[in-house]
Amino acid sequence: MNNEANVSRRAAELRARLNRAAHQYYTLDAPELPDAEYDRLFRELQAIEAEHPALRTPDSPTQRVGGAVLDTLAPVRHAVPMLSIRTETDTSPQGAATFDQRVRDYLASEQRRTLLKLDDERHRSQPLGPAAQAVLAGAPIDYVAEPKFDGLAMSLRYEHGVLVQAATRGDGETGEDVTHNIRTIGQIPLRLVAPTLAAARAALPPEGAGFALGRPGGETAAGVPPLLEVRGEVYMRRDDFERLNEVMRQRMAAGDKAAKTFVNPRNTAAGAVRQLDAALAAERRLSFFAYGLGEVTAPADGGPRFDTHWAVLQALKSWGFPVSALARQARGASELIAFHADVAAQRDALPFDIDGVVYKVDSLELQRELGFVTREPRWAVAHKYPAQEELTTVQAIDVQVGRTGKLTPVAKLAPVFVGGVTVTNATLHNELEARRKDVRVGDTVVVRRAGDVIPEVVSVLPDQRPPGTAEFTMPASCPVCGSAVVREEGEADHRCTGGLFCPAQRKQALLHFASRKAMDIEGLGDKLVEQLVDGNVVRSLPDLYRMGLVSLSALDRMAEKSAQNLLDALKRSKDTTLSRFLFALGIRHVGEATAKDLARHFGTLDALMDATPKQLAQVSDVGPVVAESVHAFFAEPHNREVVEQLRAAGVHWSEAAPTPGATLPLAGQTVVLTGTLPTLTREQAQALLEAAGAKVAGSVSKKTSYVIAGAEAGSKLDKARALGVPVLDEAGLQALLAGGA
Ligand code: IVH
């Protein structure tokens, strides 16, 4: 073999290896080739192609990086039109049943038509096939249910297994050629793999010997039709979207005038796909799901024969396309309804946006018989979920005051139904954030509400801004109590300095004090606290315990029975623990976990109140900021008085002997146990370690302090060695516990 042939062979081998690695990495999410090795092979292929341009084939992974810059996007006529799906008007879960009934009704009407010989040009003269007959006899219809991906439709054309063209949907008849951008999507195969992954693996030469996809001479792997159009959705994952916006924000901060943030993943994906410069498209990581076929070689000419849509999805997967793992076969309306609910429950946790689900009749014969109305198939329907984004206008920007005095700008919105509820408020977080988005009174904004997440203003529509608006600024004094507003060095938040003098802070402080993980005062909620503070019944925390039946019953909407219930709850709350009490005080930076650490370390409230910042900082997980905050809180005479009054009112707990973590030999250390120790059981070893202050973890990381390894230790031991984590045996453990390691 001459040198030329050798080089050509090597190039083919590299293309195949790299394409296979891309499939494993992007589609199967199971990379087998280390990144560095991928890079090395990639550079080798680039070098070969630079020297022998004739070897640069369209399926070469080097063509993914985005070199092409076009003047315009060329029109592409779709041989098989790209249809849209009808949206079910019944958005309730019952919409699935409505669709199912419509399919049945249509089949019944077709049956009547053939029986009455009403067939004319528009109607069938063929009797309905066995699948339809079964349905007419009452059998449930088999469907495939899939997510409705929120991206843009794409048609990918493969000739002899090689991607030759990618086109947008356009008007369904004619789209645009966006091949240069689509090549940059890692999940889209440039050349198709063998029919099934198992078969592909079985056909593999031994590892390292190179893997030739297809056969020499450019033949396609078996099972892939010579002409194949794959239809699917190009979309952008939420994390890729967030990352892109983060990069854009950094660029904007660095003064890059061309940088801008994007509104949502769908628009970003659509914009990327229609770029003229492929390098710009490559910057925005896009993804793909295949969900159907376009033009395909007929079975008579060597194409595969499919009976069901499900089989089509399986084939797509076997050819190397990403197919959603959520897609499912469903029998009858009831299983469609279950799918609708199941996917709805997962919607917010999915890594990508969906706007609903799609139901498709599984049998391709039935699909043909059902046909189309105008441009929409009768055999499919889109069943949407409530939109998570809507447009509305900003009527005002209020500033709310939180428990710690933090001021939060909140956009008051014209009521809008989004994410299944009517939204009238959306937080703008802080001044910086409000200005970054440049939200102004009068603006038209995109509001997003996903699941239980609090509604958010995503962006402003700048060209809808009315004249004469002003940029948002924080007030200089608290809108509730008038105290000065400050912003501490290096912090994004503005704060009211009024403390408990500020009614807003007082209300929040009371609600926090009463909350379940604090004093757990049942029945002391929003409305009641509002009345108590506004009516000046409660001015401080101890006032809560001074209320009587008479003053409570005098309040609006407070029957004697509920007043008595509240008094009982207050009484019960007095029997508490030191950590709950500490948490309830609402000291800045002292959350539930820190309160527990402090209580355990100091044992008594007096010891804690008198501790210096230095002593406080000795508590595990307490840093200088927290220590300073706790010290400052108790240095304030007013706060000490509140504590004393609460104690005088009967709030009590049992004070334990202090167990300062710092004196425990293994405080702050993380230990992992693996294998069988000669004398100690795993539980015993764990108990000893925990008693010595160590945390016992399940997996090894760089942060692991020690790995204790017994007999038959497995991968944890390997990992410890790889990371250089000290490994001890049982004797070593005993020494460690004795403080000797
Ligand atoms: S099938 C004839 N399946 O929704 C049916 N479409 O109006 C052709 N879409 O433009 C489409 N997820 O971009 C199908 N699982 C899915 C889909 C899906 C999203 C989009 C598609 C199309 C629109 C239909």
Side-chain angles (χ1 to χ4, degrees), residues 82-87 146-154 169 232-233 291-292 355 358 360 372 377 379-380 382:
M82 290 182 79
L83 302 166
S84 59
I85 322 177
R86 181 196 139 95
T87 299
E146 301 169 17
K148 187 169 192 302
F149 311 107
D150 202 6
L152 69 151
M154 189 63 52
R169 187 171 103 96
E233 197 89 347
Y291 53 60
D355 53 357
V358 178
K360 299 172 183 176
F372 304 86
W379 45 264

Side-chain angles (χ1 to χ4, degrees), residues 286-350:
L286 302 178
S287 299
F288 181 74
F289 276 126
Y291 53 60
L293 298 175
E295 195 181 1
V296 186
T297 318
D301 300 321
R305 182 182 296 281
F306 298 113
D307 292 331
T308 61
H309 177 63
W310 186 250
V312 169
L313 292 183
Q314 302 318 305
L316 286 166
K317 211 188 291 178
S318 77
W319 294 329
F321 293 95
V323 172
S324 171
L326 294 170
R328 216 195 278 161
Q329 286 177 292
R331 176 157 291 179
S334 61
E335 291 192 11
L336 293 181
I337 293 172
F339 180 82
H340 182 264
D342 190 31
V343 174
Q346 298 180 57
R347 184 183 187 191
D348 296 327
L350 294 177

Side-chain angles (χ1 to χ4, degrees), residues 13 175 196 278 306 377 470:
E13 194 174 276
T196 66
F306 298 113

Side-chain angles (χ1 to χ4, degrees), residues 327-561:
R328 216 195 278 161
Q329 286 177 292
R331 176 157 291 179
S334 61
E335 291 192 11
L336 293 181
I337 293 172
F339 180 82
H340 182 264
D342 190 31
V343 174
Q346 298 180 57
R347 184 183 187 191
D348 296 327
L350 294 177
F352 47 85
D353 285 349
I354 61 172
D355 53 357
V357 290
V358 178
Y359 310 134
K360 299 172 183 176
V361 169
D362 195 17
S363 156
L364 298 187
E365 180 195 37
L366 259 187
Q367 284 193 5
R368 275 188 295 274
E369 288 171 336
L370 286 160
F372 304 86
V373 224
T374 59
R375 319 228 19 91
E376 293 167 348
R378 285 197 189 83
W379 45 264
V381 81
H383 198 180
K384 295 206 183 171
Y385 295 125
Q388 292 179 314
E389 283 187 0
E390 289 292 349
L391 290 181
T392 187
T393 52
V394 179
Q395 299 179 319
I397 300 178
D398 280 4
V399 174
Q400 292 180 353
V401 185
R403 174 169 65 83
T404 57
K406 176 183 172 334
L407 301 191
T408 306
V410 176
K412 296 283 161 182
L413 308 168
V416 58
F417 192 71
V418 48
V421 300
T422 301
V423 169
T424 51
N425 290 324
T427 177
L428 298 172
H429 302 291
N430 55 45
E431 187 184 54
L432 237 71
E433 193 64 11
R435 287 216 189 168
R436 186 173 69 67
K437 289 179 180 159
D438 193 16
V439 181
R440 304 183 184 196
V441 178
D443 271 344
T444 299
V445 293
V446 178
V447 180
R448 181 178 173 86
R449 181 186 177 274
D452 295 332
V453 181
I454 45 173
E456 241 205 328
V457 170
V458 180
S459 61
V460 171
L461 272 57
D463 44 2
Q464 308 259 346
R465 173 169 287 167
T469 60
E471 195 175 54
F472 170 78
T473 49
M474 271 296 183
S477 57
C478 173
V480 177
C481 73
S483 301
V485 165
V486 296
R487 181 169 142 197
E488 276 158 42
E489 189 67 25
E491 280 203 18
D493 296 333
H494 287 70
R495 277 173 207 285
C496 158
T497 53
L500 290 181
F501 167 74
C502 177
Q505 292 191 49
R506 217 182 306 153
K507 286 175 191 169
Q508 295 301 320
L510 285 167
L511 282 172
H512 173 76
F513 185 79
S515 64
R516 211 167 40 80
K517 288 177 172 171
M519 301 300 281
D520 194 15
I521 307 171
E522 213 180 305
L524 190 60
D526 268 348
K527 292 268 154 17
L528 190 53
V529 164
E530 188 103 338
Q531 287 191 57
L532 293 173
V533 172
D534 291 344
N536 247 336
V537 181
V538 171
R539 272 165 303 244
S540 67
L541 297 175
D543 280 353
L544 279 175
Y545 294 103
R546 297 190 185 112
M547 293 187 298
L549 202 53
V550 180
S551 58
L552 267 176
S553 308
L555 294 173
D556 255 14
R557 281 190 300 257
M558 180 62 95
E560 193 170 317
K561 177 93 174 31

